[in-house]
Amino acid sequence: MSWKRVVPRKLARRDVEAAIDLYLGEAGPNIALGFIDALQSAYRAIAERPSVGSPRYAHELAIPGLRSRAPKNYPYLVFYAERVDHIDIWRVLHSRRDMPTRMREAER
């Protein structure tokens, strides 16, 4: 089975850094490391089978091809789109956030 390369956008990298900082500050290093492991596992699953993610937000946000997948045991969603040669990771957002507003934030 062929895997596609996973390429996080700038905002996705910021989202992950913020989540790790939050877990380090509020839950400790073991929980933060668990989040990193769960995220890496989700990235591998997306790279292997990108079509498995939920298209729910693609319809809500009118973004063709957008999918999401949750890292196991953590309240986050990885938003991504499959491209010809890679997986474009758009955002990694807490599942209790206002997704439409957060997804429309521009990269800076």
Side-chain angles (χ1 to χ4, degrees):
M1 179 166 294
S2 66
W3 291 25
K4 289 193 174 183
R5 183 172 50 102
V6 173
V7 180
R9 290 182 177 198
K10 189 178 196 178
L11 278 175
R13 290 190 307 270
R14 286 185 193 166
D15 294 336
V16 170
E17 289 171 7
I20 293 168
D21 287 346
L22 179 71
Y23 282 128
L24 282 171
E26 294 187 10
N30 289 339
I31 301 298
L33 289 171
F35 174 71
I36 293 167
D37 289 343
L39 187 60
Q40 289 175 337
S41 180
Y43 282 0
R44 281 191 299 274
I46 291 166
E48 185 177 341
R49 296 176 57 200
S51 64
V52 174
S54 171
R56 172 187 170 193
Y57 288 100
H59 301 296
E60 285 185 28
L61 300 170
I63 302 173
L66 183 71
R67 292 188 174 273
S68 63
R69 182 180 178 103
K72 188 174 182 179
N73 298 323
Y74 287 85
Y76 281 81
L77 291 173
V78 177
F79 290 91
Y80 66 94
E82 182 177 9
R83 304 295 182 220
V84 173
D85 63 343
H86 70 284
I87 303 298
D88 184 11
I89 305 291
W90 286 36
R91 301 294 303 261
V92 179
L93 299 174
H94 194 284
S95 60
R96 293 191 181 172
R97 300 292 183 242
D98 177 359
M99 296 305 175
T101 299
R102 297 297 303 271
M103 288 297 293
R104 289 186 181 102
E105 291 176 353
E107 288 202 34
R108 298 170 207 153

